[in-house]
Amino acid sequence: MRSYPLLALCLVGPVPAQLAVTAVAPANNALAISTAAGIRVDFDRPVDRGSVSAATFQVFGKWSGVVPGTFAFLNGGRSVTFSPSRPLFPGETVSVHLSSAVTANGGLESLIRGFDSLFWTRSAAGSRRFTRTATLSVRHPGEGQIQTYGAYAGDLDGDGAPDLTLPNEIADDVRVMRNDGCGTFSRPAANALPNGSVPSPIEGGDFNGDGLVDVAIANTRGDSMSVLLGNGDGTFRPAVTYPSGSATRGLGLLDVDADGDTDIVTANRNTSNLALHLNRGDGTFLPPTFFEGGGRAETGIAVADANGDGIFDLFVGHLSSQTVSLLLGDGAGHFTLSATRAVQGSPWMIVAGDVDGDGHADVAVCNSNRSSASIVRGDGAGGLLPATHYAAGGFPLAIDLGDLDGDGYLDLAVSNYSGRDYTVYFNDGAGSFVAPFTLTTTGAGSCMLVVDHDRDGDMDLLAIDEIDDVVHIFTQSDPTPAGVQPPDCGATLRVNNFANRNGYGGAQGHPVDAGSVLFLGISGPPNQPFLTMLGSPLEPGSSTPFGLLNLGNPAELTGVLATDVHGEALRTIPIPAPLPSGLGFALQAVVADPGHPQGLRLSNPESVVIR
């Protein structure tokens, strides 16, 4: 063995401590966070301001995609704040990632393991009533069964609305149905995958760092995973496919080595292991390395920071051993088995979230052979508590969490394949699930997404049937306040992405902090002028040829502006710090619409209350 005396001499003496994160806000696993929230990260020493950028401090919304914003430095550089330049989507998970390229002043001490955190944005108060408002076919005209299984609702074209990306197991393709911004979806456009792939699970991320949404798909019989890089207009580049383990089923997206790009971990059922696909930094991936997942027949993966060390970990569901395992990440590309718990059956899909509000990541599991779902709570220190169980329908094979009723707690949706239905539970606020109800289909209850598809702020349910190859849209229906102008595809006003007529019909106005910013969004026909007004809430409204005017003493707020090619516009309105708590005001827009008999439309009104 060679010796290097000079090198050893140079290393004598104390090794400088590494830069460390001491606090983050919103806190890890926090629930019901404002869609306009900024992010603050505190460090144990001043950071090098030049090392903080969109490449090293990344914010990603599960449905809204890469979040642009600006950085500021406080406390002599010991705190970094990120102010988003657009609102987040209601009810989505938001991940915050800092890479190891963030350094302290002088550049000698880096955030060597990086830093990860996630939180959930708030959703509007809901009625708990869901109505099937549309059934969308994923097939092309005259086409036979394509077996649609899996779905992702990310915004592919940057218009502020969730689109649908749907893998199809028989067709060996992925189809995109674009949202027009008003909850109506286009006919499907296909993106080919290799023959015999049988694609199924799908997740979204930004793999090449261009700020656009990409997707990764697990190919269950192709023993591979495919990556489709987005073009930002609802289309993808041709798929690139990488070998993985046999019967690739689960996908976990995270930066395992803190180098600033998103890597992929797959769960491989037949080879009973996990595969790590390291990102080269340009959206292409190195050959996989394999490691054990802590059980037999790894099938599902969920990602969260389970022990509060600022590094994302892996929850893994095992079909054959009927267990869930927790593997802790070290930020350098390695994972260590920390805990395993038995569940009531064979896990198919799993999802992570804080179900009991204690700040710790928990996991929900659908037990495919037992007509049940299980909740396995985390203790916040890398341990797992005994599972609790809830009845579901026949052969549950997909599961999701989301705040359906806007009470700040995560509710549960289970998809039942042979039951031909979907079981939905509400969270009682203490982590127990109550008041179940069932939504039906005719072929198979394959999977369900909790997402605000019509952009009113409350959560809807998008349900996939892989026998009929359809998407059922179950819209949450709210009471309509009498004498209040409803949102319309020709004119909608959104406050921080909410268009639910807050402040009217007995509802509280949108809470906004003094000294913060308010994101004011307008939707209408493309490239048309609009005017936004401010006044006092008026209920019932005054009838006009353009709709109901729900403002008293209206005054112009923004001047005449215009929507873009998508029919969207976004303004940032600073809220002055001296405004007193409890002060309220209302907003309403007038939007030009050549299709309206009068050429103009009034939008829905929204009221705001200063906290």
Side-chain angles (χ1 to χ4, degrees), residues 138-139 144-150 167-170 198-200 249 348 395-398 415-418 420 422 441-447 463-472:
V138 190
R139 299 176 187 172
Q145 187 186 13
I146 59 174
Q147 201 162 333
T148 303
Y149 176 55
N168 303 287
E169 295 182 328
I170 292 176
V198 190
S200 185
R249 285 280 175 178
W348 198 280
F395 194 5
L397 49 66
S415 302
N416 310 303
Y417 177 86
S418 63
R420 295 184 294 183
Y422 312 88
T441 186
T442 56
S446 299
C447 65
I464 312 299
D465 182 328
E466 68 180 281
I467 301 298
D468 295 342
D469 296 324
V470 297
V471 182
H472 299 294

Side-chain angles (χ1 to χ4, degrees), residues 143 145-148 166-175 190-200 217-222 226 228 239 241:
E143 191 174 30
Q145 187 186 13
I146 59 174
Q147 201 162 333
T148 303
L166 305 158
N168 303 287
E169 295 182 328
I170 292 176
D172 286 328
D173 64 17
V174 180
R175 301 189 183 185
N191 300 267
L193 295 174
N195 290 337
S197 295
V198 190
S200 185
I217 300 110
N219 299 315
T220 63
R221 292 188 186 170
S226 295
L228 284 76
T241 299

Side-chain angles (χ1 to χ4, degrees), residues 51-62:
S51 72
V52 177
S53 68
T56 63
F57 190 129
Q58 303 161 0
V59 183
F60 188 88
K62 181 176 181 178

Side-chain angles (χ1 to χ4, degrees), residues 468-521:
D468 295 342
D469 296 324
V470 297
V471 182
H472 299 294
I473 297 179
F474 294 99
T475 302
Q476 189 161 191
S477 53
D478 297 311
T480 300
V484 181
Q485 176 76 11
D488 185 274
C489 291
T492 300
L493 180 145
R494 294 182 177 85
V495 172
N496 293 342
N497 262 340
F498 292 84
N500 56 341
R501 290 168 285 183
N502 254 28
Y504 292 88
Q508 182 186 9
H510 296 281
V512 176
D513 293 325
S516 67
V517 298
L518 181 151
F519 291 107
L520 195 61

Side-chain angles (χ1 to χ4, degrees), residues 18 44 47 80 110-111 116 145 157 159 173 229 259 262 281 351 354 437 450 488 505 542:
Q18 298 300 323
D44 64 346
V47 298
V80 178
S110 72
L111 192 64
D116 297 304
Q145 187 186 13
D157 52 10
D159 65 352
D173 64 17
L229 299 179
D259 63 353
T262 301
V351 60
D354 178 11
F437 67 93
V450 180
D488 185 274
S542 300

Side-chain angles (χ1 to χ4, degrees), residues 509-574:
H510 296 281
V512 176
D513 293 325
S516 67
V517 298
L518 181 151
F519 291 107
L520 195 61
I522 303 294
S523 296
N527 303 310
Q528 292 296 318
F530 67 88
L531 178 72
T532 309
M533 303 176 293
L534 178 148
S536 57
L538 184 63
E539 185 179 7
S542 300
S543 180
T544 78
F546 320 113
L548 290 171
L549 178 65
N550 290 107
L551 294 185
N553 304 311
E556 181 181 306
L557 177 65
T558 60
V560 178
L561 303 169
T563 59
D564 64 13
V565 294
H566 298 294
E568 303 289 334
L570 182 67
R571 301 292 292 177
T572 302
I573 309 297

